[in-house]
C-alpha cells in the first residue's frame, strides 16, 4: 500500500530530520520526501511525502508531522487553479 501526503516543508535539511523521526517510529514503513515547486501557496504548491508499507497509520503520521509545525494532509485528486 502507498499513501501520498502533501506538506508545506521546503527544506531538505528539515525534511531529512522528519524522515528520520518517522523511520524510527515506524521501522516497517518506507518514507520518501520530494520537495516540489512552490510557485503557488500551499496546498497547490507543496512537497510530497510518500509512505509505503503494509500497515500505514496515516493519522499517526500526519499528527507527528504536524507536531513540527508542518502542514500535512492526504493528497486530494483535484486541479489547482
Amino acid at each position: 500500500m502507498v499513501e501520498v501526503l502533501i506538506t508545506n516543508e521546503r527544506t531538505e535539511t528539515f525534511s531529512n530530520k522528519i524522515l528520520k523521526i518517522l523511520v524510527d517510529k515506524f521501522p516497517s514503513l518506507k518514507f520518501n520526501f520530494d520537495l516540489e515547486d512552490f510557485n503557488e501557496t500551499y496546498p497547490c504548491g507543496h512537497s510530497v511525502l510518500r509512505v509505503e508499507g503494509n500497515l500505514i497509520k496515516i493519522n499517526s503520521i500526519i499528527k507527528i508531522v504536524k507536531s513540527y509545525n508542518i502542514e500535512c494532509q492526504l493528497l486530494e485528486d483535484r486541479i489547482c487553479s
Side-chain angles (χ1 to χ4, degrees):
M1 172 183 270
V2 175
E3 294 285 1
V4 180
L5 303 160
I6 59 172
T7 79
N8 65 339
E9 181 51 48
R10 296 176 182 233
T11 67
E12 186 173 345
T13 302
F14 200 65
S15 63
N16 287 335
K17 178 180 177 179
I18 297 299
L19 287 175
K20 180 173 179 358
I21 291 164
L22 293 171
V23 167
D24 287 348
K25 180 74 175 171
F26 306 100
S28 65
L29 300 178
K30 289 183 177 180
F31 295 90
N32 177 292
F33 245 119
D34 283 338
L35 302 177
E36 296 286 325
D37 182 13
F38 281 93
N39 289 333
E40 299 194 34
T41 57
Y42 176 84
C44 291
H46 59 265
S47 55
V48 172
L49 174 59
R50 286 183 196 84
V51 185
E52 183 179 346
N54 290 329
L55 180 59
I56 300 173
K57 297 180 180 179
I58 200 67
N59 290 331
S60 296
I61 292 167
I62 290 171
K63 185 176 179 179
I64 290 169
V65 173
K66 285 185 170 186
S67 74
Y68 290 90
N69 295 318
I70 298 171
E71 295 294 328
C72 184
Q73 64 187 28
L74 280 170
L75 178 64
E76 294 181 22
D77 187 18
R78 68 183 189 141
I79 297 174
C80 291
S81 55

